[in-house]
Amino acid sequence: MFWGIVILLGVGALGYSLYRLIRSFIKKESKKPVLAMAVGGLVLMGAGGSQVPAEASYLNVGQETYETDQVGKVTIKGETNEGSELTIDDKALDHDGTFTYKVQLTDEGEKELHIKSVHNGQETLKVLTIKPSKEYLAHLETQAEESRLEQAEVALKLAENSPTQAHYDEAFTKIQALSQSYPEMEERLTQVDQHLTTLALVEKLETSLDKGQVATVKEHIEQTTLEQDSLKKRLTACEAKIAEKEQVAAVLALVEKAEASSAEGDYQTATTALAKLPNKQADLEKRLGTVKDQIETKKQEAAAKKAEEEKVAAEKAAAEKAAAEQAEAERQAQAQAQADAAAQAEQAAPPAAEVGTTVLITRTGEKYHNRKCGNGNYFSATLAEAQSLGLTPCSKCF
């Protein structure tokens, strides 16, 4: 190679000139020829050096595909031109001709790594593929399962502490996403589900107050473990309301009876029962107030009617008394007239019989007889008694 010979001649000339220069100092000879020779050697070296071709750019990374270790790490070692510009994925990397670079995968996907070396204007590019190993994939799955398990535990605790349908659904989804079965968590989730079922029954009972559902709700509460005391208190409140509802229904029946009868006894019975209710029933009180008004109205009407009847009865009694007094007066007048007539007749006719003689009389007749004379019922009487009644002797018998 010509440029190599030129460089060697230059080096030789420079070396010899140095030798001659040292000698010239020792012997005190002229130094100009020696300096000229040295310059000539340098010129020859420069001329030869200018003909040396530039060092080619190179990049050695061993292999194009790497597989991670069990934790997803890869260490890449390589060589390149000393002083070259080295970048990995566009990030500059210091080096002295050799370099080491560590890669960490964060998921199960492959990663491409772009390594570029630029030397004397020449560029060398290597594209490496980093693949996750089976061990790393297993490690990722373990980490993912641990993360899913932690999320499921958080969701489950939330569902237990605040059991709502939304929290239950979230916990259910998280537990279903686990790659393994966890009986303890599934049992806890079942308790949440059972609580929600019981809670729905309690809420339904609170709305309906159906006594027939109490036993079913109580059975569900006994089987649940979440917020059992709270559910029992709500059930107790429902039972109290149901009992009150029944009491109100019973009082309502009494009020309706009082409304139908407007009777004082029915009103008092309904009023007493209403007073025993634990809570005020304004509607029933108002209805009983109406019944009371009706009873008072009836009393007033009855009193007015009684007064009117008593007035009519008094007037009738007075009229009857007056009529009786008038009839009595007329009877007495008639009896007096008969007595006067009898006396006159007795004085005018001889006595037909002695006063102590027994005669026959009737209740309605005006004569006395000494025998049955005609139809009717006859009674015995003394002559004196017959005459005292105003009777006169029968013309047929005397």
Side-chain angles (χ1 to χ4, degrees):
M1 293 179 291
F2 176 75
W3 55 269
I5 295 173
V6 173
I7 291 174
L8 289 175
L9 288 174
V11 171
L14 182 60
Y16 182 71
S17 64
L18 289 175
Y19 167 74
R20 290 291 302 275
L21 182 61
I22 294 171
R23 182 177 176 184
S24 65
F25 274 106
I26 294 173
K27 293 183 177 183
K28 298 181 179 180
E29 294 177 348
S30 175
K31 301 178 181 61
K32 292 182 178 180
V34 177
L35 292 174
M37 185 182 298
V39 172
L42 290 172
V43 171
L44 288 173
M45 289 177 61
S50 64
Q51 299 299 316
V52 176
E55 181 183 13
S57 175
Y58 72 97
L59 180 61
N60 181 18
V61 291
Q63 59 195 57
E64 294 184 354
T65 301
Y66 284 82
E67 192 173 271
T68 68
D69 61 11
Q70 67 273 16
V71 294
K73 291 183 178 180
V74 172
T75 300
I76 298 173
K77 295 182 179 180
E79 297 176 350
T80 187
N81 304 91
E82 186 176 355
S84 64
E85 296 179 5
L86 181 65
T87 59
I88 300 181
D89 286 344
D90 296 327
K91 294 180 181 179
L93 185 67
D94 294 332
H95 67 94
D96 58 0
T98 62
F99 62 90
T100 300
Y101 187 76
K102 294 183 179 181
V103 180
Q104 174 68 61
L105 292 185
T106 58
D107 54 39
E108 68 276 10
E110 296 182 354
K111 177 180 178 64
E112 281 193 348
L113 200 65
H114 296 78
I115 303 177
K116 182 171 65 174
S117 177
V118 179
H119 181 68
N120 291 331
Q122 298 181 16
E123 179 182 298
T124 304
L125 176 66
K126 297 287 186 179
V127 179
L128 306 185
T129 300
I130 312 301
K131 294 184 176 182
S133 64
K134 293 181 179 180
E135 293 79 8
Y136 179 56
L137 291 175
H139 173 71
L140 286 177
E141 176 57 29
T142 299
Q143 285 187 325
E145 179 71 0
E146 291 175 353
S147 176
R148 291 192 295 266
L149 185 60
E150 183 178 351
Q151 294 175 11
E153 179 63 27
V154 171
L156 182 56
K157 285 184 178 179
L158 178 60
E160 290 174 328
N161 295 331
S162 179
T164 65
Q165 189 62 48
H167 292 162
Y168 169 82
D169 292 341
E170 178 69 14
F172 178 83
T173 301
K174 296 293 185 184
I175 292 175
Q176 288 297 309
L178 297 174
S179 61
Q180 300 179 34
S181 176
Y182 296 86
E184 185 268 340
M185 296 185 75
E186 292 172 357
E187 175 60 26
R188 290 165 59 191
L189 185 63
T190 299
Q191 289 297 326
V192 175
D193 183 44
Q194 189 173 42
H195 171 81
L196 292 176
T197 300
T198 303
L199 179 62
L201 291 174
V202 171
E203 291 175 345
K204 182 178 179 181
L205 180 62
E206 289 173 334
T207 302
S208 67
L209 295 179
D210 182 359
K211 185 177 182 180
Q213 297 298 318
V214 171
T216 301
V217 174
K218 185 175 295 185
E219 181 180 353
H220 277 78
I221 290 177
E222 292 299 329
Q223 293 175 355
T224 189
T225 58
L226 297 178
E227 299 183 357
Q228 190 180 70
D229 291 340
S230 175
L231 293 174
K232 285 183 177 180
K233 289 180 180 179
R234 293 175 69 173
L235 175 61
T236 300
C238 286
E239 290 176 320
K241 289 181 179 179
I242 291 172
E244 182 181 357
K245 179 182 176 182
E246 292 178 341
Q247 292 174 344
V248 170
V251 174
L252 176 61
L254 294 176
V255 171
E256 290 175 344
K257 182 179 180 182
E259 288 174 330
S261 67
S262 295
E264 181 72 23
D266 292 339
Y267 167 77
Q268 292 297 338
T269 300
T271 301
T272 302
L274 181 60
K276 294 180 180 180
L277 293 179
N279 294 310
K280 185 176 181 179
Q281 302 293 325
D283 179 64
L284 295 181
E285 290 178 356
K286 182 178 180 180
R287 292 171 67 175
L288 278 179
T290 302
V291 173
K292 182 178 180 181
D293 293 341
Q294 292 173 346
I295 291 174
E296 291 298 326
T297 300
K298 287 180 66 175
K299 284 182 178 180
Q300 293 174 2
E301 293 175 349
K305 182 178 180 180
K306 182 178 180 181
E308 180 66 22
E309 290 176 347
E310 289 177 347
K311 178 182 177 181
V312 171
E315 292 176 349
K316 181 179 180 182
E320 289 177 348
K321 181 178 180 182
E325 290 177 348
Q326 183 178 357
E328 180 63 22
E330 291 177 352
R331 188 188 69 76
Q332 290 180 359
Q334 183 180 6
Q336 184 62 42
Q338 291 177 349
D340 291 344
Q344 292 177 2
E346 184 178 354
Q347 292 177 0
E354 296 181 358
V355 175
T357 302
T358 300
V359 295
L360 298 176
I361 63 175
T362 62
R363 292 187 181 278
T364 59
E366 296 178 355
K367 304 292 182 178
Y368 59 85
H369 309 268
N370 60 8
R371 57 182 175 80
K372 288 186 177 182
C373 182
N375 298 326
N377 295 323
Y378 290 84
F379 302 93
S380 296
T382 65
L383 177 61
E385 290 174 341
Q387 290 176 346
S388 68
L389 293 174
L391 302 181
T392 60
C394 176
S395 59
K396 295 179 181 182
C397 297
F398 295 99

